[in-house]
Amino acid sequence: MVTLDLDALARLAKAATPRPWKFQAMTGSYEDIDGNEVESGWLTGPDFIDTGDYETFRESDAEFIVAAVNALPALIDMARERDRLREALAEAQRNLSRWTHGEDCAV
């Protein structure tokens, strides 16, 4: 199982440009290295600063980045809740084991 540093992820998310992020499509398209026509654009958000120097992304990559960035806070909350529930279940299992062996249980 992969261990995530949820606090570090939360700090990074908080320090990043505020959400929601979105994909801003460019007009037209270009050909990639294989000759395929590709839609492209750039990422935008409420506090993005227009430097005039744009890094473009394939639309599918940008949409994935946008979805991941926008979902990260909820995913962190869900992982923390999972950890809390896992600990509560472990405590309940310890109490059940004590009870079945005639020991006092912490309730």
Side-chain angles (χ1 to χ4, degrees):
M1 177 172 49
V2 174
T3 301
L4 299 176
D5 184 342
L6 297 176
D7 292 332
L9 283 172
R11 281 191 301 276
L12 289 171
K14 187 174 182 176
T17 298
R19 290 159 302 282
W21 288 21
K22 60 185 177 179
F23 173 72
Q24 177 65 49
M26 293 172 46
T27 54
S29 59
Y30 69 94
E31 284 188 13
D32 68 11
I33 196 167
D34 297 319
N36 301 311
E37 190 170 307
V38 176
E39 298 294 324
S40 66
W42 53 87
L43 303 177
T44 65
D47 290 341
F48 274 88
I49 298 170
D50 185 356
T51 63
D53 182 20
Y54 299 103
E55 180 68 36
T56 59
F57 297 88
R58 285 178 183 243
E59 185 173 7
S60 58
D61 294 338
E63 288 174 348
F64 172 72
I65 293 166
V66 166
V69 165
N70 292 336
L72 186 60
L75 294 171
I76 290 170
D77 289 345
M78 290 168 59
R80 286 182 171 149
E81 178 66 6
R82 178 214 55 212
D83 292 347
R84 186 192 70 73
L85 291 171
R86 184 178 285 148
E87 181 53 38
L89 177 59
E91 179 64 22
Q93 288 171 328
R94 286 189 295 271
N95 283 336
L96 179 60
S97 177
R98 288 184 197 115
W99 180 76
T100 57
H101 292 96
E103 300 172 25
D104 287 335
C105 297
V107 179

